[in-house]
Amino acid sequence: VLDSQYGTYVWPCAVVLAQYLWAHRRSLPGKRVLEIGAGVSLPGVVAARCGAQVILSDSEELPQCLQSCRSSCLMNRLPHVPVLGLTWGRVSPELLSLAPIDIILGSDVFFDPKDFEDILTTIYFLLEKNPHAQFWTTYQVRSADWSIEALLHKWNLKSIHVPLHSFGADKEHLASSSMPGRHTIEMMIISLAQSEGT
């Protein structure tokens, strides 16, 4: 899907996160996965095809993004994958009623700095509810001035940097795609800074 609107385009970060999922495919069967800001849903679709129980979500205010999620599921023979409208930073009945999850996925959700705190507020809520879950996220470095470190500290979250070479994603071309190209993509795993019982 080649449309430059947020949720209707496969961004380079999605290809890198999909590569990470593929590299860890043996650990995915039976895992409960939520993709946030899913749009075209490449990472979520890969997780589902690898045997994870996936829920896709995007903003309830962007019906075209939710439709992109549904279309990707149908094109990939995954008609039963649920699609939810979840808006970052907003507590909704859909967010409150989510089943337990093991992994949260987000590719290029750290795109606009005005959304960073809303994203991390939602992630914190989900991790508090699922203390052993992790948020696997890829992002494109667009400005040296943009950082989420202070927000991670504020929300009692920690991050681990995942080197792209550790899962074969340090190339300009992945999986017969010209992406990620020459974009600078980073990956990190975010979790609660202090989990109960540890």
Side-chain angles (χ1 to χ4, degrees):
V1 177
L2 298 173
D3 182 326
S4 60
Q5 293 182 356
Y6 286 154
T8 55
Y9 181 76
V10 177
W11 295 91
C13 290
V15 176
V16 173
L17 187 54
Q19 175 77 10
Y20 185 79
L21 289 157
W22 182 249
H24 292 85
R25 63 191 174 277
R26 287 176 184 82
S27 69
L28 292 174
K31 287 281 197 285
R32 298 160 303 189
V33 174
L34 169 69
E35 185 176 3
I36 65 166
V40 177
S41 319
L42 177 61
V45 164
V46 170
R49 299 291 293 176
C50 289
Q53 300 169 27
V54 174
I55 298 171
L56 301 174
S57 72
D58 212 312
S59 174
E60 59 194 333
E61 299 167 359
L62 298 172
Q64 75 275 18
C65 292
L66 295 171
Q67 187 53 48
S68 287
C69 293
R70 290 183 191 98
S71 295
S72 291
C73 289
L74 292 175
M75 284 187 282
N76 287 282
R77 297 180 303 284
L78 298 165
H80 303 298
V81 170
V83 175
L84 294 179
L86 295 178
T87 301
W88 302 328
R90 183 179 302 161
V91 176
S92 63
E94 291 79 11
L95 183 65
L96 291 171
S97 63
L98 271 177
I101 52 175
D102 301 303
I103 300 165
I104 306 158
L105 301 175
S107 67
D108 216 7
V109 294
F110 295 108
F111 179 84
D112 189 338
K114 74 175 177 49
D115 294 327
F116 290 3
E117 186 150 27
D118 285 343
I119 294 163
L120 289 176
T121 301
T122 300
I123 295 303
Y124 176 78
F125 175 86
L126 291 166
L127 293 177
E128 275 282 295
K129 198 172 166 186
N130 303 275
H132 299 292
Q134 296 179 327
F135 177 36
W136 298 358
T137 185
T138 51
Y139 61 96
Q140 183 174 329
V141 178
R142 292 184 171 88
S143 169
D145 298 331
W146 294 0
S147 174
I148 63 167
E149 291 304 316
L151 290 171
L152 289 173
H153 180 73
K154 176 180 177 180
W155 288 101
N156 195 35
L157 299 169
K158 65 181 178 183
S159 68
I160 297 168
H161 179 261
V162 180
L164 300 192
H165 69 82
S166 70
F167 58 99
D170 56 339
K171 303 168 181 65
E172 288 185 25
H173 295 76
L174 291 175
S176 302
S177 165
S178 61
M179 288 193 271
R182 295 185 179 209
H183 300 287
T184 302
I185 309 294
E186 300 286 343
M187 176 166 181
M188 63 183 158
I189 295 176
I190 295 175
S191 58
L192 288 178
Q194 297 174 332
S195 296
E196 307 230 353
T198 60

